[in-house]
Amino acid sequence: MTVRFTVAEHVARVTIDRPERMNAVDAATDAELCRIWAEIEVRDDIRCVVLTGAGDRAFSAGADMKADAGLSGLEYWAAANPDGFGGIALRQSLTVPVIARVNGLALGGGFEMVLGADIVIASTTARFGLPEAKVGRLPLDGGMVALQRLIPRNIAAGLMMTGRMLSAEDAARLGLVNTVVPPDQLDAEVDAWVADILSCAPLSVAAIKDTIRATAHLDPQEARDLRRPALIAALQSEDSLEGVAAFREKRPPVWRGR
């Protein structure tokens, strides 16, 4: 398979495994990624996802140009996945947090998948870019609409209109990346973030993600007053009582996700 998918101790790890192609995504890889996201959505044993690419050169170089399906740009746009590149760039139905472990180049669709993550941990060797205009195409699968909402508009426009790449340090300075570490510290840093997520109540985390994703277009008052089902579920959960009880009793909480 071109994607490795494992689940252990409530953590799913999704690894695009085509290092010889810079983890570029062909049709089979795209289909497998979409299948994996759909499976994660219906499982109740997964509380966090780590998305990465195999090897140390690339997170993903985006669409595999050598496996081009022969579609024109207009045909590609018309057939675009509503969930964005790799089924994750624009996905709204996934309730668990996704950490992008960026171990190298994240270009085109690879960058779009990073934009679909909730937390981004990058190696100092990471580089980000949307070079589609250099080959007469457009970042249609999330980049053109998502990037300008995460970093200043002119920076986003400059990147897309020139095909230039953004360093990990600059991405962090712009707020696109949470942490930048040397390559030999990448896994430890990702594991630390995973541990912190697992220390929190899963329904609280799900409600936070849902609220962030669903209310970004609203003003703060409207957003606060929106009664999202995930918010109500968290507030009415057994875990909301367990968290307070554990704090008072000076013990670690036992989360049950209900």
Side-chain angles (χ1 to χ4, degrees), residues 210-234:
D210 179 75
T211 299
I212 289 171
R213 297 270 174 156
T215 65
H217 64 293
L218 303 175
D219 66 43
Q221 184 73 36
E222 292 173 320
R224 188 199 65 177
D225 293 342
L226 197 63
R227 302 297 190 255
R228 299 283 298 177
L231 177 70
I232 302 302

Side-chain angles (χ1 to χ4, degrees), residues 122-136:
S123 163
T124 52
T125 62
R127 296 291 183 273
F128 304 85
L130 292 169
E132 284 85 349
K134 285 184 173 293
V135 293

Side-chain angles (χ1 to χ4, degrees), residues 161-225:
M161 291 177 179
T162 64
R164 291 184 178 185
M165 288 192 287
L166 192 66
S167 71
E169 291 81 3
D170 284 342
R173 179 176 55 81
L174 292 166
L176 192 63
V177 168
N178 295 80
T179 306
V180 180
V181 296
D184 61 353
Q185 297 177 25
L186 185 59
D187 286 329
E189 185 67 19
V190 169
D191 289 344
W193 282 81
V194 168
D196 284 343
I197 289 171
L198 295 182
S199 73
C200 297
L203 291 179
S204 293
V205 172
I208 290 167
K209 173 166 181 169
D210 179 75
T211 299
I212 289 171
R213 297 270 174 156
T215 65
H217 64 293
L218 303 175
D219 66 43
Q221 184 73 36
E222 292 173 320
R224 188 199 65 177
D225 293 342

Side-chain angles (χ1 to χ4, degrees), residues 33-114:
L33 284 167
C34 291
R35 185 200 68 76
I36 288 169
W37 300 125
E39 178 179 337
I40 290 172
E41 286 182 348
V42 299
R43 291 181 61 159
D44 59 9
D45 60 329
I46 296 173
R47 292 173 51 194
C48 180
V49 182
V50 177
L51 172 64
T52 193
D56 56 10
R57 296 174 61 205
F59 174 83
S60 173
D64 189 342
M65 299 289 286
K66 291 186 177 179
D68 195 327
L71 297 177
S72 69
L74 189 61
E75 289 168 334
Y76 183 88
W77 176 71
N81 186 334
D83 291 321
F85 194 90
I88 190 64
L90 297 173
R91 197 176 198 93
Q92 297 297 310
S93 52
L94 190 63
T95 61
V96 296
V98 176
I99 297 175
R101 173 189 176 274
V102 187
N103 50 315
L105 293 173
L107 303 177
F111 192 6
E112 290 174 321
M113 288 191 288
V114 171

